[in-house]
Amino acid sequence: MYGLSGTRAIQRCWANHTFLSSFLISKETLVTYGCRSSLTTDDKEEPTLTEESLTFTKRRQMKKKGQGVNKTQAVSKKLNSDSEKVKVKNESVKLLKGKNTEEVELLVKAYDKLLRKDNKRQMLYLLDQKSADRLVHHLLKDIERDDVIAESHPGPGILTRTLLKETTNDIIAFEPQPTFASHLKESLLPQHSSRLTLSHLDLQKFYTYYVHGKKVPEKDRLHELLELFPTNRKKFDSNVKMVGVVCDPKFFFRLTLSFAFQCCFFENIFPTLYLYIPFRLYSRISLSLGHFAYSKVGVPFQFYFNLDHLESVPQTGFYPPYSLAASRTRVPADDFLHLVKISVNKEFFNKVPLKELENFHYFLNRICLTKRKETLITQLEKWIPACGPEFIKNGFRVFTHPRELTQDQLLQAYYIFSKLPAYEGSMFHHYRRHWAVQFGERDEEVVRLKTDDEVVELEDQVLEN
């Protein structure tokens, strides 16, 4: 140690002491956790070491071992989800109380095969007689003698049978799934052919049919769908009641677009909807969770439609379990499906003229997509530069974000924006026209290789994006 400074000599002695101490401890092994240490006296247990003290090979082995654990956890999670699906199926079938139980079991097994082939299906089928009775109970309060009932995805036909029993109205059942469609055709159509009409079209994809039909008029499925409904003599007077279960968020996106462009159901039909929906969708269209539900679907929906919450029913009466079919969410867990009534807001056109509806919808659409770091004024100045002072003069703060505004304040912001002198010649209209044309664009080379059904699915994916 000659020639070393005092500090360096002390460090060298401490290092030698630490190295020798690791060989002197026999029965008592030192277990180190970061900067803490404790003593154990068990020869059989191996000492736990920090990752920093491991060699590269050891760390690699532990990493592989950890990956193996993750795979095991994933397998166990899948097994748990499968067992949950079986449990819900058994509980749902029991709810039928002996009515057509074997028949429903066979249909559910057939549907299970489809689920294995296509795990992306977002569809729920009603299997609970009580839930069907509750929907019909609320429907009877509003239905008239000449009204037509349209049912989306009846599945085994539990709700269809209840409607045929409790009402005298004509019923149109839209079932695109061949297994369920053939079952309904054999079991219900012979007895109720005068009142019941079956269609292979998907009622929930009406706007996708509209987009597809504009580009391929000779294959206009929307016309085939709408010709089954009676047209209204008076605007907003609905004589069509739509019932079913919806768990696909794209359905409400299609609904708002259809209203904004005054097409499909909102050109002549204006239906009233009675739907079972999961809490994730209910929170989105009702904006019940504040900024978590703030979206380009929920905000326009609140302007265009009236939403009434009728009641909630257990999820066990529906199949497959929604928790397996739904994507990850940021909203609290809810084991219920919510029965809602959706009707057109007749007072809306007193606030926004029909000729401005498309402009108003695009305004809301872009405002709802404002980034968190931006503000309302910075978004509006992208369309009309230096328009901020006019909004500040009318009470809007410089750093106000659209999420902080109420429905009336959003409407006020549109009034101010549309009355600016530079509004008519602004870039707002250029972007709005480009946005309207973009809906439904497709790759022609890809479409040539697709069947008609696959083309509709392709159009649906474009709408979602």
Side-chain angles (χ1 to χ4, degrees), residues 371-388:
K371 296 179 180 178
R372 292 179 181 272
K373 294 182 180 180
E374 296 183 354
T375 64
L376 172 68
I377 291 178
T378 57
Q379 177 62 39
L380 296 176
E381 287 187 339
K382 293 178 181 179
W383 295 323
I384 302 179
C387 66

Side-chain angles (χ1 to χ4, degrees), residues 17-290:
H17 174 72
T18 305
F19 177 75
L20 292 171
S21 63
S22 63
F23 293 96
L24 295 175
I25 299 177
S26 57
K27 290 187 177 181
E28 295 183 349
T29 57
L30 183 65
V31 182
T32 306
Y33 300 94
C35 60
R36 298 183 180 181
S37 64
S38 62
L39 290 175
T40 62
T41 57
D42 191 356
D43 288 329
K44 297 180 181 179
E45 293 185 0
E46 295 181 359
T48 306
L49 303 176
T50 58
E51 190 174 355
E52 289 78 10
S53 65
L54 293 173
T55 63
F56 174 77
T57 306
K58 285 286 186 181
R59 287 200 299 271
R60 190 174 179 183
Q61 291 176 354
M62 289 185 68
K63 186 176 181 180
K64 288 183 178 180
K65 186 176 179 181
Q67 290 175 352
V69 172
N70 292 335
K71 288 180 181 179
T72 305
Q73 292 175 350
V75 172
S76 62
K77 186 176 181 180
K78 183 178 180 181
L79 290 174
N80 291 334
S81 65
D82 291 340
S83 62
E84 180 185 353
K85 188 165 66 172
V86 172
K87 181 181 177 182
V88 172
K89 177 175 67 175
N90 294 337
E91 291 179 358
S92 302
V93 173
K94 287 179 182 177
L95 290 171
L96 295 174
K97 297 180 179 179
K99 299 177 181 178
N100 305 312
T101 305
E102 294 181 0
E103 182 180 344
V104 172
E105 282 181 340
L106 292 174
L107 288 170
V108 169
K109 287 180 180 178
Y111 185 69
D112 274 339
K113 294 180 181 179
L114 291 176
L115 286 178
R116 295 189 191 100
K117 293 179 181 178
D118 186 4
N119 294 326
K120 295 182 180 179
R121 287 179 178 269
Q122 291 191 327
M123 185 55 56
L124 288 180
Y125 291 98
L126 193 154
L127 300 183
D128 178 19
Q129 185 61 50
K130 290 183 179 178
S131 299
D133 292 338
R134 297 311 301 163
L135 190 150
V136 174
H137 170 74
H138 291 285
L139 179 64
L140 290 174
K141 296 179 182 178
D142 189 36
I143 200 167
E144 296 181 4
R145 182 181 299 176
D146 297 331
D147 288 352
V148 174
I149 302 173
E151 184 181 3
S152 173
H153 295 82
I158 307 301
L159 179 59
T160 314
R161 287 186 175 88
T162 308
L163 291 169
L164 289 168
K165 180 181 177 182
E166 301 294 336
T167 69
T168 58
N169 303 78
D170 292 339
I171 299 171
I172 309 170
F174 293 89
E175 182 51 74
Q177 210 288 311
T179 303
F180 291 136
S182 59
H183 163 71
L184 294 173
K185 187 176 181 179
E186 295 173 2
S187 60
L188 294 179
L189 196 58
Q191 304 173 9
H192 306 280
S193 57
S194 60
R195 292 176 52 200
L196 179 62
T197 303
L198 297 180
S199 174
H200 68 282
L201 297 174
D202 192 337
L203 185 64
Q204 296 185 20
K205 291 184 178 180
F206 60 93
Y207 192 81
T208 310
Y209 293 151
Y210 166 72
V211 174
H212 182 53
K214 284 175 66 177
K215 287 179 278 194
V216 190
E218 65 273 12
K219 297 179 180 178
D220 189 359
R221 294 190 180 187
L222 179 66
H223 177 73
E224 183 183 350
L225 187 148
L226 295 180
E227 68 180 359
L228 298 172
F229 295 99
T231 56
N232 290 332
R233 297 178 181 177
K234 214 172 182 182
K235 201 174 183 68
F236 301 128
D237 286 345
S238 173
N239 58 350
V240 174
K241 303 294 186 291
M242 293 186 179
V243 298
V245 187
V246 173
C247 63
D248 187 356
K250 289 183 289 186
F251 174 78
F252 295 101
F253 183 57
R254 301 180 193 115
L255 207 63
T256 55
L257 282 178
S258 178
F259 186 90
F261 292 107
Q262 290 292 287
C263 61
C264 306
F265 295 146
F266 301 103
E267 185 176 5
N268 295 313
I269 298 176
F270 296 93
T272 302
L273 295 86
Y274 290 82
L275 304 174
Y276 278 114
I277 60 175
F279 179 71
R280 179 171 71 103
L281 296 187
Y282 176 72
S283 64
R284 180 175 296 185
I285 62 177
S286 64
L287 303 183
S288 60
L289 292 179

Side-chain angles (χ1 to χ4, degrees), residues 6-17:
T7 305
R8 184 64 176 170
I10 293 173
Q11 291 176 348
R12 180 65 61 81
C13 289
W14 177 254
N16 292 336
H17 174 72

